[in-house]
Amino acid sequence: MSRRHAITHVHVAAVALVPMLACIAPVPAFAQSAPITLPTMELGRALQMIQAQSGTQVEVDPDAVRHLTSAPVRNARTAADAVQQATRGKAVEVTVRSDGSILVENGIVVVARRDEAETSILVRGDTSSTRTGESLRDQPRNTQVISSKLLAEQQAQTLPDALRNAGGVTVNSATVQGGVGYTVRGFTSGGAVNGAPAPSSSLFAAGSTQSVANVERLEVLKGPDAILLGGDSLGGTVNIVTKKPSAEERLYVSAEAGSFGAGRITVDANRAITSDQRVSARIIATAADSDRNFGGYRGNEDYLLAPSIRFKNAQTDITASLTATNQIFGMIPYTLYDTTAKRPIAIPFGTPFIGDKDQYSQITGTIYDIQAKQQFGNWLIVAAHYQHQDSSLLLRQYSPFVLLAPETLLLSRTGVSQQSNNDVVDGYVRAAFSTGAFEHKIIVGGMYSSFDITQDDAVSNGGFLLYNYVTKSPALPVRPAAYRANNAGVGTQTSFYGQYLLKFWRLALMASARRTASDFSGTQRNQPTMTYKSDGQTTPSYGAVFTVTDDLSLYGTLGYGFIPSFQYDANNVLLPDTDTRNAEAGIKWDLFNKRVLINASYFDLYQSNLKDADRTTPGAYINLPGQTAKGIDLGIQGEPLRGWTISGNFTRTNYKLSVPGTFTDGTTVTLQPRDQYSLYTSYRHKVADQVSAGAGIGTYGRSSIAIDSLNLYRLEGTNQVDLNAFLTVGKFDLNFGIRNLFDRVNYNPTSTTTYVPIGEPRIWRLTAGYRFR
């Protein structure tokens, strides 16, 4: 996982581990008998004198100390102390190795560059899903990274835009509740931001309201990856990594225009703020608006302010950031499903199906995030992470629920106001050492999360009414403006985990275990308080990677999960917990001198049961069979030739219920297609000095899906082709895009015949950017 997490509830484990590791770690050779004192002089010469007087080896990068003058050294008792004094205030990094030797190198290179996800389609670094620090290439799991460079080329604006590139991820926009939900390989995911997951029972998927302008990369963590983030994301999770400061001085301003009066301005300013370049700051701001959406509803608005500050040298990395967002989403255009003709009802373009233009959901959010990592020599790392999220949702729209008779809908006009506060603290200690030909990594850590969620309903003008959508009668009442408390929930989750990684020859073996306990208390208006406490379970996972050649490796992984139940049935009986199993095996293959990575795997997922709302008793739930998913996942990313990039995925999945037999409600898994695919490729060519041009084309789609579990009604497959053309002249960038080039009518996934979201028609976007620095 990421090297940026937090430690609060694992002090005992960490302290217990340190004495053992101290016995393993080598001890510096010796400390000199006399203190070292040196006047100001050429830095290279001063370091030579420190080596001579101390007897400690000091390796120096000549380019790092050229033309630099040392600071004075006074009464240094060790060589390390003397070197630190001599290099004080200089743009160099000092590393004390485990054998006691000292390395002095250029410090600017440590912090000067932006993350590879901002400059490359192919990302190879580690993820926040594993604390081992291994690169993606060396992890025993299928992980896909969608880089901000790819999103910029495609002119992605929202999370659904970005997730079209993700294999096996289905976005659900038919919630009638605003916001975004998604599944990975057919199973609901809570999501994560910078490795901090949304807690169980949260009404918001973590990161679902994150503006793409502040996204460095999306890590689509499939398989047991997600289990280390909380256990309730069986198929995987989407971890949103926000952009970080670096020492690179950069001021980039972009403006965008598009169909339906859409406009956006984004500013990205970044630079070092100290002379030694170790402290840097970044601020990202965006503002977007549009006249309307393609369904004739209110246009989307998107406002973001994201300042951050970072201290980084060779041993320490601390980042503090604030992300404040305010987003208004016009109601997603939708239609009904004609159950007789077995197809969606065609409606006039640009006209709201029910009600007026001013229907929307407004989501505001604030995320406070602090990440710290400290390295001691080359054998011990301590990491800490704290994150606080505030989210609120206001829903103002007429929501169709049931078709009671031909042309007659049962319509809700209540509106909803929700608030959510989440806190996550995470941290770990990682030790690395060798015994002969064996390399070891031991990780011990813990995570604590808490949440406080409330939902308010309308005080007046709420409830349901019968409405004829053909005659548009009766006249719709005014939507409510005042709300009262309806239900609330608070809870905590505490987890402790350990990982062990062993490397020998071409083989790497990993074993992990996680212990999770939780509690929950929920109240509903005019109902007794429900409480639940789980002592938890210990869930193990295992992985192996075998390196066949430098370019080809085989991997396998097996993980078990546990999802505590907070739901009660109509008799006020707590429903059973959910157990999960996740198995996967595959290959990773580097091509074109490691410029392209192919990832192919077979997966087998199992879920013991799931819960659904009881339609006969408001506030109650029923227990349903879980599901299984077996399939293949293929992915390719990289730059085969200079200027030519490619990113593609294909996932085929067979879904079944986990309990055999015949069920009254049917046996078909809804919302999930058998096949999903995406393929994007672009080429950019240097036309003249400081002038380049190119184009990109992408195709995205899925096979048909079932709307109901009896498989009576289905939505046909979708396909969309997008085209982009690029031009760069000096510091000026231009990107013109056409989305849904062939203007195909697509319908998005749904599990109800009364709310079928309509995909976007052909639209255009034009983005112009200028690098001032």
Side-chain angles (χ1 to χ4, degrees):
M1 283 189 184
S2 125
R3 298 174 294 177
R4 307 175 285 272
H5 285 80
I7 191 158
T8 293
H9 296 273
V10 292
H11 294 305
V12 174
V15 170
L17 187 66
V18 169
M20 178 186 73
L21 299 176
C23 296
I24 299 171
V27 178
F30 64 89
Q32 70 280 352
S33 57
I36 300 174
T37 298
L38 297 173
T40 297
M41 63 180 72
E42 236 179 54
L43 181 56
R45 182 164 173 253
L47 296 174
Q48 289 176 354
M49 294 183 66
I50 292 172
Q51 175 174 282
Q53 292 187 34
S54 66
T56 298
Q57 181 181 3
V58 181
E59 293 185 24
V60 180
D61 176 4
D63 293 330
V65 300
R66 185 174 289 118
H67 307 308
L68 294 182
T69 302
S70 72
V73 179
R74 296 186 177 91
N75 298 318
R77 293 289 179 180
T78 66
D81 183 21
V83 171
Q84 291 288 358
Q85 289 191 45
T87 59
R88 185 172 58 251
K90 311 302 176 185
V92 298
E93 292 298 332
V94 178
T95 303
V96 181
R97 294 168 170 158
S98 58
D99 62 0
S101 64
I102 300 171
L103 173 64
V104 180
E105 57 186 333
N106 193 328
I108 296 178
V109 300
V110 177
V111 293
R113 299 182 180 88
R114 290 174 291 160
D115 187 271
E116 60 180 332
E118 296 190 54
T119 59
S120 175
I121 297 292
L122 178 59
V123 178
R124 291 184 174 275
D126 66 343
T127 73
S128 53
S129 66
T130 176
R131 273 74 170 172
T132 62
E134 300 296 296
S135 70
L136 291 174
R137 176 68 170 75
D138 298 322
Q139 293 180 24
R141 50 182 52 84
N142 187 324
T143 298
Q144 179 189 355
V145 176
I146 303 170
S147 70
S148 57
K149 178 176 174 60
L150 177 63
L151 299 182
E153 281 197 8
Q154 297 176 344
Q155 296 177 302
Q157 292 184 340
T158 63
L159 195 64
D161 276 356
L163 290 178
R164 297 182 310 163
N165 299 283
V169 177
T170 301
V171 176
N172 178 18
S173 57
T175 61
V176 201
Q177 294 293 325
V180 172
Y182 47 83
T183 61
V184 182
R185 291 177 174 172
F187 298 87
T188 301
S189 171
V193 176
N194 293 329
S200 299
S201 293
S202 175
L203 299 178
F204 296 89
S208 61
T209 62
Q210 184 69 237
S211 175
V212 173
N214 192 37
V215 172
E216 172 192 292
R217 54 180 167 172
L218 296 174
E219 299 174 347
V220 185
L221 312 171
K222 303 171 187 178
D225 252 354
I227 293 175
L228 274 177
L229 290 176
D232 55 353
S233 296
L234 170 58
T237 195
V238 177
N239 180 39
I240 299 174
V241 180
T242 57
K243 293 179 178 177
K244 298 178 289 294
S246 69
E248 175 186 355
E249 187 172 3
R250 177 178 169 84
L251 174 59
Y252 192 76
V253 179
S254 64
E256 181 178 295
S259 299
F260 310 110
R264 177 185 295 271
I265 296 178
T266 302
V267 178
D268 185 350
N270 180 88
R271 63 167 295 172
I273 57 177
T274 58
S275 59
D276 62 7
Q277 313 239 348
R278 295 177 181 176
V279 181
S280 55
R282 188 172 191 173
I283 184 167
I284 299 172
T286 188
D289 196 1
S290 59
D291 295 335
R292 64 195 185 283
N293 65 22
F294 63 86
Y297 298 98
R298 178 173 176 168
N300 292 349
E301 298 181 37
D302 182 12
Y303 304 98
L304 163 82
L305 180 64
S308 56
I309 189 169
R310 184 182 194 183
F311 173 84
K312 189 178 191 311
N313 59 25
Q315 295 82 32
T316 307
D317 191 355
I318 302 173
T319 302
S321 64
L322 166 68
T323 304
T325 59
N326 182 10
Q327 296 173 301
I328 296 176
F329 302 96
M331 187 169 188
I332 296 172
Y334 70 97
T335 184
L336 304 182
Y337 189 89
D338 187 334
T339 56
T340 302
K342 294 192 174 182
R343 64 173 180 265
I345 299 173
I347 62 174
F349 176 79
T351 302
F353 184 65
I354 293 175
D356 57 5
K357 172 182 177 180
D358 195 31
Q359 300 182 61
Y360 64 93
S361 59
Q362 181 176 14
I363 302 177
T364 60
T366 306
I367 298 178
Y368 304 88
D369 193 275
I370 301 176
Q371 305 171 52
K373 184 188 70 174
Q374 179 65 47
Q375 183 168 343
F376 299 92
N378 64 352
W379 68 282
L380 182 64
I381 288 177
V382 177
H385 187 193
Y386 168 73
Q387 186 179 105
H388 173 79
Q389 296 186 40
D390 289 328
S391 300
S392 66
L393 165 67
L394 176 64
L395 182 69
R396 290 178 56 81
Q397 65 184 46
Y398 302 104
S399 302
F401 272 78
V402 181
L403 186 66
L404 296 178
E407 303 178 358
T408 301
L409 280 167
L410 181 65
L411 202 65
S412 167
R413 63 187 192 276
T414 58
V416 174
S417 176
Q418 298 175 349
Q419 297 79 39
S420 173
N421 297 296
N422 304 330
D423 288 279
V424 179
V425 180
D426 184 25
Y428 65 90
V429 177
R430 181 173 76 219
F433 57 94
S434 298
T435 55
F438 295 91
E439 298 178 26
H440 312 267
K441 285 186 180 179
I442 298 176
I443 299 94
V444 176
M447 179 184 291
Y448 172 83
S449 64
S450 64
F451 61 89
D452 182 346
I453 303 168
T454 61
Q455 176 177 315
D456 303 335
D457 285 343
V459 174
S460 60
N461 297 326
F464 293 85
L465 77 155
L466 297 179
Y467 181 75
N468 187 301
Y469 65 84
V470 175
T471 63
K472 307 294 183 183
S473 60
L476 293 172
V478 176
R479 286 177 296 274
Y483 299 87
R484 63 181 175 182
N486 182 50
N487 57 62
V490 296
T492 63
Q493 185 179 91
T494 304
S495 302
F496 296 94
Y497 55 83
Q499 289 181 287
Y500 174 61
L501 176 66
L502 172 66
K503 289 185 175 182
F504 171 71
W505 186 50
R506 295 177 176 270
L507 184 65
L509 302 173
M510 187 183 74
S512 305
R514 181 185 181 98
R515 178 74 182 182
T516 304
S518 56
D519 62 74
F520 173 79
S521 177
T523 59
Q524 187 170 356
R525 191 171 65 244
N526 302 324
Q527 297 292 330
T529 299
M530 299 181 299
T531 59
Y532 171 71
K533 182 176 179 61
S534 169
D535 293 330
Q537 291 187 16
T538 299
T539 51
S541 61
Y542 313 93
V545 177
F546 181 74
T547 303
V548 181
T549 69
D550 289 342
D551 296 324
L552 178 66
S553 63
L554 310 177
Y555 68 91
T557 184
L558 173 66
Y560 296 89
F562 155 69
I563 307 173
S565 173
F566 298 141
Q567 292 84 20
Y568 287 77
D569 65 13
N571 297 317
N572 206 31
V573 175
L574 183 68
L575 295 177
D577 297 334
T578 299
D579 295 316
T580 66
R581 185 203 67 236
N582 193 316
E584 184 167 11
I587 67 169
K588 295 183 181 182
W589 189 13
D590 281 310
L591 300 173
F592 299 97
N593 293 323
K594 300 188 183 298
R595 293 194 300 269
V596 173
L597 176 62
I598 292 178
N599 197 339
S601 63
Y602 171 81
F603 57 88
D604 184 346
L605 313 180
Y606 166 82
Q607 176 190 49
S608 61
N609 59 288
L610 57 85
K611 292 89 178 173
D612 195 10
D614 188 337
R615 296 178 178 85
T616 63
T617 307
Y621 290 81
I622 57 175
N623 195 51
L624 296 176
Q627 65 186 49
T628 65
K630 298 180 181 181
I632 57 172
D633 201 332
L634 310 175
I636 181 172
Q637 280 185 306
E639 188 176 5
L641 301 172
R642 181 181 296 273
W644 175 32
T645 64
I646 185 170
S647 176
N649 284 274
F650 173 76
T651 306
R652 167 164 287 187
T653 311
N654 291 317
Y655 297 100
K656 291 183 180 179
L657 297 183
S658 58
V659 179
T662 301
F663 299 92
T664 305
D665 291 335
T667 58
T668 302
V669 176
T670 63
L671 276 174
Q672 303 305 325
R674 185 189 67 170
D675 298 324
Q676 288 177 284
Y677 60 88
S678 69
L679 179 62
Y680 174 82
T681 184
S682 67
Y683 179 73
R684 186 183 288 268
H685 179 69
K686 183 177 180 180
V687 178
D689 187 34
Q690 293 192 337
V691 178
S692 64
I697 186 169
T699 180
Y700 316 90
R702 59 158 175 81
S703 60
S704 65
I705 63 168
I707 296 178
D708 65 303
S709 56
L710 291 172
N711 201 20
L712 297 176
Y713 314 120
R714 299 186 68 87
L715 287 177
E716 64 180 13
T718 64
N719 177 261
Q720 178 168 322
V721 175
D722 295 352
L723 184 67
N724 288 84
F726 325 115
L727 175 66
T728 297
V729 180
K731 297 181 178 180
F732 179 75
D733 297 320
L734 198 65
N735 186 344
F736 177 73
I738 300 177
R739 295 169 63 87
N740 197 0
L741 180 64
F742 301 110
D743 203 19
R744 177 179 172 127
V745 178
N746 291 316
Y747 296 101
N748 294 328
T750 184
S751 58
T752 174
T753 57
T754 57
Y755 194 91
V756 182
I758 304 173
E760 65 184 354
R762 181 169 55 225
I763 62 172
W764 63 271
R765 290 176 184 170
L766 176 64
T767 305
Y770 187 80
R771 292 182 296 278
F772 288 89
R773 296 178 183 176

